[in-house]
mmCIF file of all heavy atoms in Angstrom:
data_model
loop_
_atom_site.group_PDB
_atom_site.id
_atom_site.type_symbol
_atom_site.label_atom_id
_atom_site.label_comp_id
_atom_site.label_asym_id
_atom_site.label_seq_id
_atom_site.Cartn_x
_atom_site.Cartn_y
_atom_site.Cartn_z
ATOM 1 N N GLY M 116 51.064 -64.755 -41.653
ATOM 2 C CA GLY M 116 52.115 -65.427 -40.898
ATOM 3 C C GLY M 116 53.022 -66.322 -41.724
ATOM 4 O O GLY M 116 54.003 -66.858 -41.216
ATOM 5 N N GLU M 117 52.725 -66.442 -43.000
ATOM 6 C CA GLU M 117 53.571 -67.279 -43.875
ATOM 7 C C GLU M 117 54.418 -66.396 -44.768
ATOM 8 O O GLU M 117 54.004 -65.286 -45.108
ATOM 9 C CB GLU M 117 52.677 -68.116 -44.780
ATOM 10 C CG GLU M 117 52.593 -69.580 -44.421
ATOM 11 C CD GLU M 117 51.815 -70.318 -45.497
ATOM 12 O OE1 GLU M 117 52.439 -70.735 -46.478
ATOM 13 O OE2 GLU M 117 50.586 -70.434 -45.337
ATOM 14 N N ARG M 118 55.569 -66.909 -45.158
ATOM 15 C CA ARG M 118 56.394 -66.146 -46.098
ATOM 16 C C ARG M 118 56.385 -66.862 -47.452
ATOM 17 O O ARG M 118 56.896 -67.983 -47.561
ATOM 18 C CB ARG M 118 57.809 -65.995 -45.572
ATOM 19 C CG ARG M 118 57.843 -65.020 -44.426
ATOM 20 C CD ARG M 118 59.203 -64.604 -43.983
ATOM 21 N NE ARG M 118 59.056 -63.556 -42.983
ATOM 22 C CZ ARG M 118 60.068 -62.951 -42.392
ATOM 23 N NH1 ARG M 118 61.311 -63.299 -42.684
ATOM 24 N NH2 ARG M 118 59.846 -62.006 -41.506
ATOM 25 N N ILE M 119 55.812 -66.219 -48.430
ATOM 26 C CA ILE M 119 55.674 -66.855 -49.738
ATOM 27 C C ILE M 119 56.830 -66.397 -50.626
ATOM 28 O O ILE M 119 56.984 -65.198 -50.881
ATOM 29 C CB ILE M 119 54.319 -66.460 -50.369
ATOM 30 C CG1 ILE M 119 53.186 -66.918 -49.439
ATOM 31 C CG2 ILE M 119 54.161 -67.049 -51.758
ATOM 32 C CD1 ILE M 119 51.887 -66.202 -49.661
ATOM 33 N N PRO M 120 57.650 -67.351 -51.083
ATOM 34 C CA PRO M 120 58.800 -66.954 -51.910
ATOM 35 C C PRO M 120 58.393 -66.678 -53.360
ATOM 36 O O PRO M 120 57.579 -67.394 -53.929
ATOM 37 C CB PRO M 120 59.721 -68.179 -51.833
ATOM 38 C CG PRO M 120 58.818 -69.331 -51.549
ATOM 39 C CD PRO M 120 57.601 -68.802 -50.839
ATOM 40 N N LEU M 121 58.952 -65.626 -53.927
ATOM 41 C CA LEU M 121 58.708 -65.298 -55.337
ATOM 42 C C LEU M 121 60.054 -65.179 -56.045
ATOM 43 O O LEU M 121 60.944 -64.470 -55.568
ATOM 44 C CB LEU M 121 57.967 -63.961 -55.473
ATOM 45 C CG LEU M 121 56.688 -63.748 -54.658
ATOM 46 C CD1 LEU M 121 56.165 -62.336 -54.894
ATOM 47 C CD2 LEU M 121 55.628 -64.774 -55.030
ATOM 48 N N GLU M 122 60.189 -65.869 -57.151
ATOM 49 C CA GLU M 122 61.416 -65.754 -57.950
ATOM 50 C C GLU M 122 61.297 -64.495 -58.812
ATOM 51 O O GLU M 122 60.261 -64.269 -59.438
ATOM 52 C CB GLU M 122 61.574 -66.973 -58.857
ATOM 53 C CG GLU M 122 61.707 -68.294 -58.111
ATOM 54 C CD GLU M 122 62.987 -68.349 -57.290
ATOM 55 O OE1 GLU M 122 64.066 -68.109 -57.869
ATOM 56 O OE2 GLU M 122 62.911 -68.597 -56.068
ATOM 57 N N ALA M 123 62.351 -63.707 -58.823
ATOM 58 C CA ALA M 123 62.290 -62.454 -59.589
ATOM 59 C C ALA M 123 63.564 -62.285 -60.408
ATOM 60 O O ALA M 123 64.660 -62.251 -59.843
ATOM 61 C CB ALA M 123 62.118 -61.274 -58.632
ATOM 62 N N PRO M 124 63.431 -62.187 -61.731
ATOM 63 C CA PRO M 124 64.633 -61.999 -62.564
ATOM 64 C C PRO M 124 65.212 -60.598 -62.376
ATOM 65 O O PRO M 124 64.456 -59.624 -62.250
ATOM 66 C CB PRO M 124 64.109 -62.186 -63.985
ATOM 67 C CG PRO M 124 62.649 -61.903 -63.907
ATOM 68 C CD PRO M 124 62.205 -62.246 -62.517
ATOM 69 N N THR M 125 66.533 -60.522 -62.359
ATOM 70 C CA THR M 125 67.175 -59.208 -62.136
ATOM 71 C C THR M 125 67.536 -58.518 -63.448
ATOM 72 O O THR M 125 67.999 -57.390 -63.441
ATOM 73 C CB THR M 125 68.468 -59.378 -61.320
ATOM 74 O OG1 THR M 125 69.312 -60.303 -62.017
ATOM 75 C CG2 THR M 125 68.192 -59.872 -59.925
ATOM 76 N N ASP M 126 67.330 -59.222 -64.557
ATOM 77 C CA ASP M 126 67.804 -58.652 -65.830
ATOM 78 C C ASP M 126 66.667 -58.149 -66.723
ATOM 79 O O ASP M 126 66.842 -57.993 -67.914
ATOM 80 C CB ASP M 126 68.627 -59.721 -66.584
ATOM 81 C CG ASP M 126 67.822 -60.994 -66.813
ATOM 82 O OD1 ASP M 126 66.701 -61.086 -66.298
ATOM 83 O OD2 ASP M 126 68.334 -61.904 -67.498
ATOM 84 N N MET M 127 65.492 -57.918 -66.129
ATOM 85 C CA MET M 127 64.370 -57.447 -66.960
ATOM 86 C C MET M 127 63.907 -56.045 -66.590
ATOM 87 O O MET M 127 62.917 -55.538 -67.136
ATOM 88 C CB MET M 127 63.173 -58.403 -66.822
ATOM 89 C CG MET M 127 63.392 -59.732 -67.528
ATOM 90 S SD MET M 127 61.968 -60.806 -67.311
ATOM 91 C CE MET M 127 60.687 -59.916 -68.198
ATOM 92 N N GLY M 128 64.592 -55.430 -65.645
ATOM 93 C CA GLY M 128 64.198 -54.073 -65.244
ATOM 94 C C GLY M 128 62.851 -54.031 -64.540
ATOM 95 O O GLY M 128 62.150 -53.023 -64.577
ATOM 96 N N LEU M 129 62.464 -55.152 -63.920
ATOM 97 C CA LEU M 129 61.170 -55.187 -63.239
ATOM 98 C C LEU M 129 61.228 -54.440 -61.915
ATOM 99 O O LEU M 129 62.313 -54.274 -61.333
ATOM 100 C CB LEU M 129 60.755 -56.636 -62.951
ATOM 101 C CG LEU M 129 60.478 -57.558 -64.141
ATOM 102 C CD1 LEU M 129 60.161 -58.962 -63.657
ATOM 103 C CD2 LEU M 129 59.333 -57.013 -64.982
ATOM 104 N N THR M 130 60.061 -54.052 -61.445
ATOM 105 C CA THR M 130 59.963 -53.522 -60.093
ATOM 106 C C THR M 130 59.310 -54.593 -59.216
ATOM 107 O O THR M 130 58.691 -55.532 -59.740
ATOM 108 C CB THR M 130 59.112 -52.247 -60.036
ATOM 109 O OG1 THR M 130 57.784 -52.592 -60.418
ATOM 110 C CG2 THR M 130 59.658 -51.160 -60.938
ATOM 111 N N VAL M 131 59.413 -54.399 -57.912
ATOM 112 C CA VAL M 131 58.766 -55.347 -56.993
ATOM 113 C C VAL M 131 57.255 -55.345 -57.247
ATOM 114 O O VAL M 131 56.610 -56.387 -57.209
ATOM 115 C CB VAL M 131 59.096 -54.994 -55.531
ATOM 116 C CG1 VAL M 131 58.277 -55.836 -54.561
ATOM 117 C CG2 VAL M 131 60.594 -55.185 -55.273
ATOM 118 N N MET M 132 56.700 -54.170 -57.555
ATOM 119 C CA MET M 132 55.268 -54.099 -57.871
ATOM 120 C C MET M 132 54.939 -55.028 -59.033
ATOM 121 O O MET M 132 53.950 -55.777 -58.997
ATOM 122 C CB MET M 132 54.892 -52.648 -58.213
ATOM 123 C CG MET M 132 53.493 -52.425 -58.721
ATOM 124 S SD MET M 132 53.296 -52.611 -60.516
ATOM 125 C CE MET M 132 53.896 -51.048 -61.123
ATOM 126 N N GLU M 133 55.756 -55.003 -60.070
ATOM 127 C CA GLU M 133 55.479 -55.836 -61.240
ATOM 128 C C GLU M 133 55.589 -57.322 -60.903
ATOM 129 O O GLU M 133 54.818 -58.144 -61.399
ATOM 130 C CB GLU M 133 56.417 -55.450 -62.391
ATOM 131 C CG GLU M 133 56.031 -54.100 -63.001
ATOM 132 C CD GLU M 133 57.123 -53.445 -63.816
ATOM 133 O OE1 GLU M 133 58.325 -53.704 -63.552
ATOM 134 O OE2 GLU M 133 56.795 -52.656 -64.699
ATOM 135 N N VAL M 134 56.535 -57.653 -60.026
ATOM 136 C CA VAL M 134 56.681 -59.060 -59.600
ATOM 137 C C VAL M 134 55.442 -59.484 -58.799
ATOM 138 O O VAL M 134 54.908 -60.573 -58.996
ATOM 139 C CB VAL M 134 57.963 -59.236 -58.764
ATOM 140 C CG1 VAL M 134 58.042 -60.647 -58.183
ATOM 141 C CG2 VAL M 134 59.190 -58.940 -59.607
#
Side-chain angles (χ1 to χ4, degrees):
Chain M
E117 254 187 87
R118 287 190 174 181
I119 300 160
L121 309 177
E122 298 295 307
T125 56
D126 57 354
M127 288 179 65
L129 295 177
T130 64
V131 172
M132 173 272 280
E133 287 162 333
V134 173

